[in-house]
């Protein structure tokens, strides 16, 4: 995998990130994710700190399940776009339903792990409220809440990693199988550095876009928005969320496009190591790609 190859796939992924049909498909999905975030943010307005912490992380896992399902469709659409195939959208959607249902459950272990961490965090909140000795115990065990929050952030990053590595693996192999974890592990083992570079490149546009948008939203909230009740806060952030999601959509399309390209690059790299041959420079067919949805 050379710099020229990465540059080529980056440019191609970016070029197909502004497709009108995919934008129309992804925008409602992103709006649903935005609605979940706004709902949780509104609930957290008058909530205690323990509940607010839960409502800060919970949307990440809910949105990951939604984006995993949408990502399967996007990966398959991108594959056919690059190959120049004529896509029957109705057939592609109908034959992807079973895969969409299966992949949406892949975030459940991460969500359950987070709920366990959140429950343990509640124990330390309760311990802090013990009369007389509570503040002392809270000071002595302050490292534990830190580790629990750290674990929650790691799980959130794990959702992003799953979106990048698992989605093309499922989409191009036409289903969730028992070998999924093994296949992803083989890809990671082939070259940790290459996979890390591809992941960072694919995530960078989303991270930059989200950073700018969140900064704009925070400044708007601090200098313009008014109201402290749940309804007013929810409505204000809802109307901000609509253009927020529209601007973010192309970056999400690029993320899944580049995830597909990264999968193909690593597949070619592993093939080259096995066969000792230099594959062609275009998007290669996945080894187990089924043609039932093409």
């Amino acid at each position: 995998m050379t710099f020229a190859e990465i540059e080529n796939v980056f440019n191609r992924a970016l070029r197909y990130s502004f497709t009108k049909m995919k934008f129309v498909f992804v925008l409602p999905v992103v709006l649903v994710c935005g609605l979940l975030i706004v709902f949780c943010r509104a609930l957290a307005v008058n909530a205690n700190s323990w509940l607010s912490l839960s409502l800060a992380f919970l949307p990440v896992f809910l949105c990951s399940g939604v984006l995993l399902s949408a990502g399967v469709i996007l990966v398959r659409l991108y594959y056919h776009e690059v190959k120049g195939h004529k896509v029957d959208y109705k057939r592609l959607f109908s034959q992807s339903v079973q895969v969409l249902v299966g992949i949406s459950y892949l975030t459940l272990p991460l969500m359950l792990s987070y709920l366990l961490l959140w429950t343990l965090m509640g124990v330390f909140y309760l311990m802090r409220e013990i009369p007389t000795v509570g503040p002392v115990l809270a000071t002595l065990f302050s490292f534990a809440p830190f580790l629990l929050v750290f674990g929650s952030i790691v799980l959130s990053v794990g959702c992003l990693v799953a979106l990048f590595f698992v989605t093309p693996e499922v989409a191009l192999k036409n289903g969730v199988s028992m070998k999924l974890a093994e296949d992803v592990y083989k890809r990671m083992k082939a070259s940790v550095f290459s996979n890390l570079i591809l992941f960072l490149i694919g995530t960078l546009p989303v991270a930059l876009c989200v950073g700018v948008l969140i900064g704009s939203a925070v400044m708007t909230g601090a200098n313009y928005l008014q109201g402290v009740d749940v309804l007013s806060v929810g409505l204000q952030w809802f109307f901000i969320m609509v253009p927020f999601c529209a601007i973010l959509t192309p970056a999400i399309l690029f993320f899944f496009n580049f995830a597909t390209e990264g999968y193909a690059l690593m597949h070619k790299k592993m093939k080259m190591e096995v066969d000792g041959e230099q594959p062609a420079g275009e998007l290669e067919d996945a080894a187990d790609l089924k043609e039932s949805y093409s």
Side-chain angles (χ1 to χ4, degrees):
M1 187 173 63
T2 64
F3 176 80
E5 286 180 312
I6 296 177
E7 181 184 19
N8 179 48
V9 299
F10 181 94
N11 292 333
R12 182 164 56 195
L14 183 63
R15 185 168 66 251
Y16 285 102
S17 298
F18 299 92
T19 305
K20 182 178 179 180
M21 183 65 187
K22 290 196 296 185
F23 183 89
V24 172
F25 165 69
V26 174
L27 181 58
V29 176
V30 181
L31 286 174
V32 169
C33 295
L35 192 61
L36 288 172
I37 295 172
V38 169
F39 178 72
C40 291
R41 180 178 176 84
L43 290 179
V45 170
N46 297 319
N48 57 49
S49 56
W50 179 53
L51 187 58
S52 296
L53 184 64
S54 172
L55 293 172
F57 285 101
L58 190 59
V60 175
F61 304 98
L62 296 175
C63 293
S64 295
V66 175
L67 290 175
L68 271 172
S69 297
V72 171
I73 300 295
L74 292 176
V75 168
R76 292 181 172 182
L77 285 174
Y78 180 71
Y79 173 84
H80 291 301
E81 283 178 335
V82 172
K83 287 295 185 180
H85 298 163
K86 184 178 180 180
V87 182
D88 186 339
Y89 292 97
K90 184 178 180 180
R91 184 183 178 192
L92 187 148
F93 277 91
S94 63
Q95 295 186 351
S96 299
V97 171
Q98 186 175 357
V99 180
L100 300 183
V101 174
I103 196 174
S104 63
Y105 288 108
L106 293 179
T107 57
L108 277 179
L110 294 174
M111 183 183 295
L112 293 175
S113 299
Y114 168 69
L115 292 176
L116 176 61
L117 295 180
W118 178 62
T119 302
L120 291 175
M121 179 69 78
V123 174
F124 290 96
Y125 273 92
L126 289 174
M127 185 176 64
R128 190 181 64 179
E129 300 303 321
I130 297 176
T132 309
V133 298
V136 177
L137 293 176
T139 301
L140 293 175
F141 291 99
S142 58
F143 66 90
F146 164 76
L147 293 176
L148 293 174
V149 173
F150 173 75
S152 300
I153 295 175
V154 170
L155 290 175
S156 300
V157 175
C159 289
L160 188 61
V161 171
L163 286 173
F164 189 84
F165 292 104
V166 174
T167 306
E169 191 77 40
V170 172
L172 296 180
K173 291 192 175 182
N174 206 27
V176 180
S177 65
M178 297 299 294
K179 293 181 61 180
L180 178 61
E182 181 182 349
D183 292 338
V184 174
Y185 175 74
K186 285 181 179 178
R187 173 183 167 180
M188 297 296 297
K189 186 179 178 181
S191 178
V192 176
F193 179 79
S194 297
N195 281 293
L196 180 60
I197 292 298
L198 292 171
F199 174 73
L200 292 176
I201 293 174
T203 309
L204 182 60
V206 175
L208 290 176
C209 191
V210 169
V212 173
L213 289 171
I214 289 179
S216 302
V218 170
M219 293 180 66
T220 303
N223 297 285
Y224 178 76
L225 300 185
Q226 296 179 345
V228 294
D229 60 287
V230 173
L231 181 60
S232 62
V233 170
L235 288 174
Q236 288 169 354
W237 285 109
F238 172 80
F239 288 110
I240 289 177
M241 177 267 297
V242 175
F244 187 109
C245 293
I247 297 171
L248 183 60
T249 297
I252 293 176
L253 286 172
F254 173 84
F255 176 84
F256 285 111
N257 290 350
F258 197 79
T260 310
E261 293 284 3
Y263 173 85
L265 279 177
M266 292 307 302
H267 179 262
K268 290 190 292 183
K269 180 181 176 67
M270 291 186 291
K271 180 181 178 181
M272 182 178 63
E273 291 176 353
V274 173
D275 299 339
E277 299 176 358
Q278 178 64 46
E282 59 179 90
L283 186 65
E284 294 290 321
D285 290 340
D288 301 321
L289 178 63
K290 306 291 179 64
E291 296 296 337
S292 57
Y293 56 84
S294 60

